[in-house]
Amino acid sequence: MSSELSPIDKAKFLAAKRATDFVEDGMRVGLGTGSTAAWMVRLLGERVRDEGLKISGVPTSARTAQLAQEVGIKVITLDEAKWLDLTIDGADEVDGDLNLIKGGGGALLQEKIVATASDRMIVIADAAKEVEALGAFPLPIEVIPFGWQTSQALVEEMLISMDVLGRDTTLRMNGDAPYVTDEGNHILDLHLNRIGNARELALVMNQIPGVVENGLFIDICDTLVIGHGSGRVETRDINDGTIEDMRLDFVEDDNLFRDISD
């Protein structure tokens, strides 16, 4: 129930609610992964059910695909869609230039592929995700299992020459075993504390053998929707240079707030 949600969860819900206003009938929409994106998928499902909205969704993870199907969204593959009108996804951090760290949910590879195959990417987040400089949140990189320790050593050596405050790296675990992505890979989390030049780091990192992709999303996000627990929602469009402030009502809906696995 809405009365049981924390202010952060309400902020996530409101950001997701505002972002769904950009979805129009007939669109092919990339569906992000994570707690904020899960609100967005549920809300789109409500529009499909109540308004007859007809969209095709391309999920960025198996769990998003499952949720989308549960709420009645038509799910297709990116190969079937070929190109998307819009992708809506969350972020772990976002700076003033709308550059992001993503991958806390382990889906960064599919998220980046889907986002870059879209005319527009909208990022939804609570205000706590805004930062002056990226890096406090551990930066995930996806690596193939073969020789992952060698890849890790090469990453740590590379970080010596980068403008970062920390160089510790850890293998992400799932209990006693390494975490495995939907693509069958592992994730290394880089504890950098602060990234001085995110663009340079993203380019250099992907040159390391064994590294499939990194969680820095540079020049990919077009619009940022920030929700606040008070009901205020701020929408920033980096292309138009516009900032819109509005308030949204938080309406309780038993169906929307039921426990759906994400």
Side-chain angles (χ1 to χ4, degrees):
M1 306 294 286
S2 66
S3 60
E4 299 170 351
L5 292 178
S6 69
I8 288 179
D9 283 332
K10 289 183 179 180
K12 291 177 179 181
F13 169 84
L14 292 171
K17 183 178 181 181
R18 173 69 182 103
T20 59
D21 292 341
F22 294 94
V23 178
E24 300 175 0
D25 208 50
M27 278 189 168
R28 294 158 296 180
V29 183
L31 306 174
T33 295
S35 59
T36 313
W39 286 120
M40 175 269 299
V41 174
R42 291 183 175 113
L43 286 160
L44 283 178
E46 290 242 313
R47 290 191 59 193
V48 168
R49 185 195 67 199
D50 298 341
E51 302 173 18
L53 179 71
K54 292 180 173 60
I55 60 171
S56 297
V58 175
T60 55
S61 66
R63 59 187 180 275
T64 295
Q66 179 182 351
L67 177 59
Q69 290 169 335
E70 287 178 6
V71 299
I73 297 173
K74 177 184 176 183
V75 171
I76 62 173
T77 67
L78 183 58
D79 288 337
E80 289 172 323
K82 294 184 172 57
W83 196 259
L84 304 177
D85 300 288
L86 178 66
T87 286
I88 306 175
D89 204 347
D92 299 302
E93 283 188 346
V94 54
D95 69 12
D97 295 321
L98 304 196
N99 294 318
L100 321 168
I101 285 182
K102 288 181 52 56
L108 66 97
L109 177 58
Q110 292 189 24
E111 288 174 334
K112 188 173 282 191
I113 292 172
V114 169
T116 54
S118 306
D119 287 336
R120 184 182 190 184
M121 182 190 191
I122 297 177
V123 168
I124 50 179
D126 60 273
K129 300 297 192 300
E130 289 189 276
V131 296
E132 291 187 9
L134 300 175
F137 189 91
L139 173 64
I141 62 173
E142 189 158 336
V143 298
I144 65 171
F146 176 81
W148 71 264
Q149 292 180 339
T150 298
S151 299
Q152 182 181 29
L154 290 170
V155 167
E156 291 173 347
E157 182 180 3
M158 175 272 298
L159 289 174
I160 296 173
S161 62
M162 293 291 105
D163 183 9
V164 296
L165 291 183
R167 296 197 296 271
D168 291 337
T169 66
T170 56
L171 178 68
R172 188 177 298 185
M173 303 296 290
N174 182 15
D176 295 331
Y179 178 87
V180 178
T181 70
D182 283 352
E183 299 300 319
N185 297 316
H186 295 333
I187 287 183
L188 296 175
D189 288 310
L190 280 52
H191 306 270
L192 308 178
N193 301 321
R194 185 182 185 279
I195 301 171
N197 190 330
R199 187 183 305 276
E200 178 187 32
L201 181 61
L203 290 172
V204 173
M205 194 127 46
N206 280 12
Q207 304 306 311
I208 296 175
V211 174
V212 181
E213 190 52 82
N214 67 81
L216 288 168
F217 283 52
I218 310 297
D219 298 332
I220 296 177
C221 173
D222 299 287
T223 303
L224 172 65
V225 182
I226 293 285
H228 300 261
S230 64
R232 186 169 72 89
V233 180
E234 181 180 334
T235 304
R236 305 177 201 163
D237 191 301
I238 198 167
N239 299 311
D240 297 339
T242 57
I243 300 177
E244 174 194 82
D245 258 312
M246 63 188 302
R247 297 190 69 84
L248 294 178
D249 293 329
F250 195 98
V251 179
E252 184 176 302
D253 186 319
D254 284 338
N255 182 64
L256 183 63
F257 294 105
R258 76 188 192 280
D259 185 17
I260 300 177
S261 61
D262 55 4

